[in-house]
Amino acid sequence: MRDATVLLRCGKCGVVNRLPESRLPEHPKCGKCGHVLEFATIPLDITSSNFDREVIRWPGSVLVMFWAPWCGHCRKIMPVIDDMAHRREGRLKVCRVNVDNESALSGRFQIRATPASSVTVSNIATSSPSPEVGIVESHPASVPLNLKHLPGGI
């Protein structure tokens, strides 16, 4: 059976490293600079300045959660999003956008209600991104998110 591939960005040089999931316990190092790779175990906070780099140009699959601190539904599902970031590290990049702080991104994706999410699925084998699946307005009745049907064992 083929080992699943994970993607990790080096915190020092910014290069995206692709490695077999079985190597995660070995504390893998960046192929370019040799820095020990760290795993994102919490959702990455996305801003207008890092959105393209962290979401659009990411070669793997990405879940982007649009949320607001005052939103009760957002607070209710955030533990599920946090858990997903921890359990899917390296296989699914989990990001969150605070719509109060990032009105430009909210406008760009026409976010009218929170929570809302977007899943971008990429072809792990060729690193060529597929089109965005789209924005899904969600509420606690739709939690937990079931992403088992996505490629790459997400």
Side-chain angles (χ1 to χ4, degrees), residues 2-148:
R2 208 173 117 202
D3 201 3
T5 300
V6 296
L7 300 170
L8 299 171
R9 184 182 301 279
C10 177
K12 185 175 180 183
C13 71
V15 167
V16 177
N17 292 264
R18 182 183 313 268
L19 59 143
E21 188 174 18
S22 61
R23 291 214 32 234
L24 292 179
E26 301 171 14
H27 306 287
K29 295 181 180 178
C30 175
K32 181 178 180 184
C33 72
H35 187 262
V36 176
L37 297 171
E38 297 175 4
F39 312 109
T41 58
I42 60 171
L44 177 65
D45 288 316
I46 297 295
T47 64
S48 295
S49 63
N50 71 357
F51 183 84
D52 286 346
R53 177 183 116 134
E54 297 296 344
V55 177
I56 301 297
R57 292 193 302 257
W58 183 253
S61 299
V62 183
L63 169 69
V64 180
M65 185 71 183
F66 293 87
W67 71 289
W70 48 263
C71 170
H73 294 309
C74 298
R75 288 194 309 267
K76 188 170 184 175
I77 68 169
M78 200 53 74
V80 173
I81 301 300
D82 291 346
D83 183 57
M84 187 180 298
H86 179 72
R87 287 185 298 114
R88 305 289 187 210
E89 61 190 2
R91 293 172 285 168
L92 175 68
K93 185 176 205 172
V94 179
C95 304
R96 61 184 174 200
V97 176
N98 182 332
V99 297
D100 289 343
N101 296 342
E102 298 299 327
S103 57
L105 286 175
S106 301
R108 179 175 171 182
F109 292 98
Q110 301 175 359
I111 303 299
R112 293 183 177 86
T114 57
S117 58
S118 169
V119 177
T120 303
V121 180
S122 294
N123 185 338
I124 301 291
T126 64
S127 298
S128 60
S130 68
E132 232 177 68
V133 173
I135 303 297
V136 178
E137 291 184 12
S138 56
H139 55 80
S142 65
V143 174
L145 297 172
N146 183 356
L147 299 176
K148 291 179 183 175

